[in-house]
Amino acid sequence: MRYNSTLFVEELQKILSQPLSPEDHSYLDLSAAKEVSLDMLADVPPADPLTEAVGLILDSMNHGPFELTRLGINELLKSYLSRVSKENERSCTRSYLDCIYQLYLFALLERYPYTDLFWEYLSLCFDTVSRHLVEHKLLVSCQVFLSKVTLMGKWAAQKNLHTNLIQHFLHNMEIWAREEGYLELADSAKNHRFNLETV
Amino acid sequence: MIETTLYAYIVLAIAGGLLTLLSSVGIFISLIVQRRLDRLQEILEEFINLSYRSEINLTGKMHSLIEKYQMNYIFPHKPRSLILSYIDFNIFFILFLWTITFFMYCKPPLQLFLLLQLIPLIIGIYASLFFRRLLRNTINLENPLLETIVPSPARLRSISYLSHFINLSVESVLKQARLSLNLSLRSKGGQTEASVFLKEELSYDDFFFYLVLQKERPEKVLFLACGEIRFHFPPDPITKKPVPVCRNINIPLGSFHLTGHTENISAKFLVFTRGEKHPVQYSYQLIQGRGFLASAGNPDIVVNHQIVYQVQEKKIRILENKSSIPCFQELSPHFNLQGERYYLDPSSPSPILRTCLDDFFID
């Protein structure tokens, strides 16, 4: 029952179907706020489905089979693809990739046994996601995506994980971007590919 | 006015002093060189040790080790030229002094006995010039004298050189080079022309390859290529830095006409090196991308123990299991290490063996 993949995905989908927390909420974040107004100190942040989803996936990474983690990432990225649009591309891509990045950092832990599987699966997903982004002309998300994924790739190379799938992804991205006429994006993909493994 | 006899002693004393200085310079040089040799051999050993861990990604580390080796290999230009000019000046001045003293006491006419008296001087000149050559060679490591002890950095990318180490697995070194195949497709007058490229993440060279592209069900040979891969990287034209190894290198292997669907194309790539007797075999499965075919995922890399070969006078002789190499008969005259790449398109109306002249490029 606990490790039922259908129930896991259903729960995840239920969480992810809630609306994302709005950016301009009134909760006071001291790291971002320029000035402190005393009457805002007691405000609470709005519920964030992404935090909940990440928590659920982290649970599965802590003591679940890899299959659940795999499904979790898949659902997270699917929910991203359904949400991202021209209006919210920067913030949406950022918040989803931050989640993925947290999961990735957890997967790099010494005691996590499925690091290779996790990274391989993630690399394969990136390929499809970026293809969707290029085809739907979401340029800003592509840039954000590219820089974050390269960051992960660099980490992976330093941890001696294989990066050929990421290289392949960057090469594909370059070709697609060039075909669609986004030369700047193509150049940036190429540059990232050349710098991926420079220690 | 100094007395002539005494003057000769003074000159000889100066020459002796200079000679002592020179020998201390020799000791100084040998100390530096010894330290450098230690460093270089440490790096070389670290490099060889890397090859035991083939399952993880060490490409970046290998690249930085070769660069580190290169850094320790070259002696900084300024001190080197300073030391060299000091040695030159010193030796030629000593020779000059010796000759002067000789001719000070030399009285004509020339006799055979004089020639005999000249012998010590000649031997002295020869020995000093030889000493000079020795010192110069020790400072510049790029010479045949030390090449066997300290290989040049370019040697570290040579698979044939590395395969001479007994405990080094060529297979795992090649794994880090990440060889992959890439076919770029171009439509031309209703036909699809495919150019075949071998991609290397780290530019390992100095090996002989054999490539066959096959279609499964029905089985059909699409493309054949063989030849030797060898690079020459000149120093960077702008920064003047030496380039021991490159990344993301593409080697054109030839082109052929692709007909029919592009599914189920597989490739077999054999690597023959000088120090081994079984080739390393790569098996690729090609997948279709937009405008290209590329090898998917990690290729299957094994040492093919069925095939036995021997390299004799730059020629590769297959001793066992020739039949597992398709079209070996046609290609066998070209199984030699001449630095050329050949390819064959069996589907063309008149299949002839061509030489691939395109140069490699970085992309």
Side-chain angles (χ1 to χ4, degrees):
Chain A
M1 185 66 190
R2 243 181 91 201
Y3 299 126
N4 186 324
S5 39
T6 319
L7 288 182
F8 180 78
V9 171
E10 267 174 6
E11 194 179 347
L12 209 58
Q13 280 182 347
K14 206 174 93 196
I15 295 170
L16 286 170
S17 61
Q18 296 162 21
L20 290 188
S21 60
E23 269 209 358
D24 50 347
H25 52 74
S26 61
Y27 178 66
L28 180 71
D29 180 2
L30 289 178
S31 70
K34 296 272 183 300
E35 52 188 310
V36 176
S37 56
L38 289 174
D39 49 336
M40 281 169 75
L41 291 183
D43 286 351
V44 288
D48 184 16
L50 287 182
T51 316
E52 218 175 324
V54 169
L56 205 62
I57 301 172
L58 276 177
D59 273 348
S60 84
M61 288 172 87
N62 249 330
H63 34 242
F66 177 69
E67 180 65 15
L68 290 189
T69 314
R70 199 176 69 84
L71 288 170
I73 296 167
N74 200 21
E75 285 306 317
L76 200 63
L77 285 172
K78 273 195 216 161
S79 137
Y80 165 65
L81 288 184
S82 69
R83 276 225 169 92
V84 70
S85 65
K86 267 267 176 252
E87 292 77 45
N88 64 357
E89 51 178 331
R90 189 182 295 272
S91 63
C92 183
T93 313
R94 275 240 176 92
S95 40
Y96 271 92
L97 276 179
D98 280 345
C99 296
I100 296 282
Y101 190 60
Q102 284 173 41
L103 296 174
Y104 169 74
L105 286 182
F106 188 85
L108 286 186
L109 276 185
E110 198 83 357
R111 64 182 173 88
Y112 185 69
Y114 312 122
T115 311
D116 284 341
L117 291 176
F118 184 93
W119 176 235
E120 194 185 329
Y121 183 73
L122 211 56
S123 314
L124 288 172
C125 287
F126 287 155
D127 212 46
T128 325
V129 173
S130 66
R131 189 172 197 149
H132 174 91
L133 293 180
V134 175
E135 274 169 4
H136 287 74
K137 307 197 184 332
L138 296 162
L139 276 193
V140 180
S141 353
C142 277
Q143 289 284 11
V144 176
F145 200 77
L146 210 57
S147 57
K148 201 81 182 176
V149 168
T150 321
L151 184 69
M152 291 190 213
K154 276 200 159 182
W155 259 100
Q158 277 172 28
K159 294 265 175 188
N160 296 334
L161 293 170
H162 286 285
T163 50
N164 41 359
L165 285 172
I166 286 292
Q167 300 252 15
H168 193 67
F169 148 72
L170 289 171
H171 200 204
N172 274 339
M173 184 102 162
E174 188 189 327
I175 292 172
W176 297 327
R178 219 173 276 285
E179 270 179 10
E180 303 275 342
Y182 308 132
L183 296 182
E184 204 179 321
L185 185 65
D187 286 346
S188 135
K190 187 173 182 176
N191 199 24
H192 279 312
R193 183 160 58 89
F194 272 64
N195 285 328
L196 196 60
E197 283 186 45
T198 38
V199 188
Chain B
M1 177 75 197
I2 306 170
E3 215 179 298
T4 325
T5 334
L6 201 61
Y7 185 68
Y9 282 121
I10 294 173
V11 166
L12 283 181
I14 292 174
L18 286 179
L19 214 54
T20 324
L21 281 180
L22 194 67
S23 62
S24 63
V25 170
I27 294 170
F28 170 67
I29 289 173
S30 78
L31 278 178
I32 295 177
V33 169
Q34 198 187 9
R35 245 196 82 60
R36 269 168 75 208
L37 286 188
D38 277 354
R39 284 291 300 137
L40 289 178
Q41 259 157 2
E42 255 170 48
I43 299 172
L44 191 65
E45 212 156 284
E46 201 181 331
F47 185 83
I48 291 169
N49 280 346
L50 278 189
S51 75
Y52 297 126
R53 313 173 63 201
S54 61
E55 71 290 347
I56 54 176
N57 175 14
L58 294 166
T59 314
K61 201 157 184 201
M62 280 199 167
H63 184 256
S64 58
L65 269 182
I66 297 181
E67 299 232 297
K68 200 165 144 192
Y69 189 87
Q70 171 75 68
M71 191 189 85
N72 280 289
Y73 187 78
I74 41 169
F75 204 70
H77 181 69
K78 215 172 167 191
R80 187 178 66 183
S81 55
L82 194 72
I83 293 177
L84 285 180
S85 51
Y86 175 75
I87 292 170
D88 280 355
F89 171 77
N90 226 342
I91 285 184
F92 286 115
F93 191 57
I94 290 167
L95 294 185
F96 174 71
L97 292 183
W98 283 351
T99 329
I100 280 208
T101 17
F102 188 83
F103 283 105
M104 237 192 257
Y105 295 97
C106 175
K107 288 192 187 80
L110 285 166
Q111 289 165 336
L112 190 68
F113 186 65
L114 183 75
L115 287 180
L116 283 177
Q117 282 175 322
L118 258 179
I119 288 177
L121 181 67
I122 291 169
I123 292 177
I125 290 176
Y126 172 76
S128 346
L129 289 181
F130 187 77
F131 184 61
R132 171 176 171 266
R133 214 183 104 208
L134 210 65
L135 285 185
R136 288 185 85 91
N137 273 340
T138 330
I139 288 187
N140 303 319
L141 284 179
E142 304 131 31
N143 63 75
L145 196 75
L146 284 172
E147 175 75 31
T148 43
I149 310 169
V150 194
S152 68
R155 282 272 176 147
L156 290 195
R157 63 159 201 259
S158 151
I159 288 288
S160 284
Y161 176 78
L162 291 176
S163 71
H164 277 117
F165 289 96
I166 298 166
N167 53 357
L168 191 105
S169 153
V170 174
E171 183 196 346
S172 43
V173 172
L174 275 175
K175 235 177 217 177
Q176 304 302 337
R178 295 220 292 264
L179 271 60
S180 64
L181 283 176
N182 192 6
L183 275 70
S184 69
L185 309 175
R186 250 197 332 264
S187 289
K188 218 163 64 180
Q191 273 186 321
T192 314
E193 199 189 340
S195 311
V196 186
F197 296 99
L198 176 72
K199 279 178 87 83
E200 285 191 28
E201 180 63 30
L202 210 57
S203 64
Y204 277 105
D205 68 346
D206 202 7
F207 60 84
F208 186 84
F209 73 93
Y210 168 86
L211 168 75
V212 57
L213 285 179
Q214 277 170 319
K215 200 180 252 185
E216 290 160 25
R217 284 174 307 220
E219 211 157 280
K220 187 181 153 202
V221 174
L222 293 174
F223 177 74
L224 282 162
C226 69
E228 193 193 11
I229 288 178
R230 193 186 283 252
F231 303 124
H232 295 284
F233 299 132
D236 190 284
I238 298 165
T239 60
K240 305 275 186 284
K241 287 184 198 166
V243 185
V245 68
C246 276
R247 293 166 149 276
N248 291 319
I249 204 150
N250 287 256
I251 307 143
L253 297 184
S255 59
F256 68 101
H257 289 291
L258 188 63
T259 45
H261 58 88
T262 54
E263 280 148 25
N264 289 327
I265 296 181
S266 65
K268 188 159 103 174
F269 188 79
L270 294 174
V271 175
F272 300 86
T273 58
R274 278 174 213 262
E276 304 283 317
K277 62 174 182 175
H278 299 299
V280 179
Q281 178 177 318
Y282 282 64
S283 309
Y284 295 101
Q285 200 65 44
L286 297 184
I287 50 160
Q288 169 88 54
R290 223 191 282 176
F292 66 91
L293 280 171
S295 46
N298 289 328
D300 201 13
I301 310 172
V302 287
V303 175
N304 190 333
H305 289 280
Q306 307 304 312
I307 302 174
V308 180
Y309 70 91
Q310 188 183 20
V311 182
Q312 269 181 343
E313 292 166 4
K314 295 199 158 190
K315 206 157 168 49
I316 293 172
R317 286 180 50 223
I318 309 286
L319 302 177
E320 271 175 42
N321 217 350
K322 284 179 192 162
S323 55
S324 66
I325 303 176
C327 302
F328 176 71
Q329 284 308 323
E330 287 94 323
L331 292 175
S332 62
H334 296 282
F335 265 54
N336 46 28
L337 300 161
Q338 306 281 12
E340 300 267 356
R341 302 188 296 273
Y342 305 97
Y343 67 98
L344 185 71
D345 178 5
S347 63
S348 71
S350 54
I352 44 163
L353 200 69
R354 289 170 212 270
T355 314
C356 185
L357 297 170
D358 299 330
D359 211 2
F360 54 82
F361 57 94
I362 291 169
D363 181 48

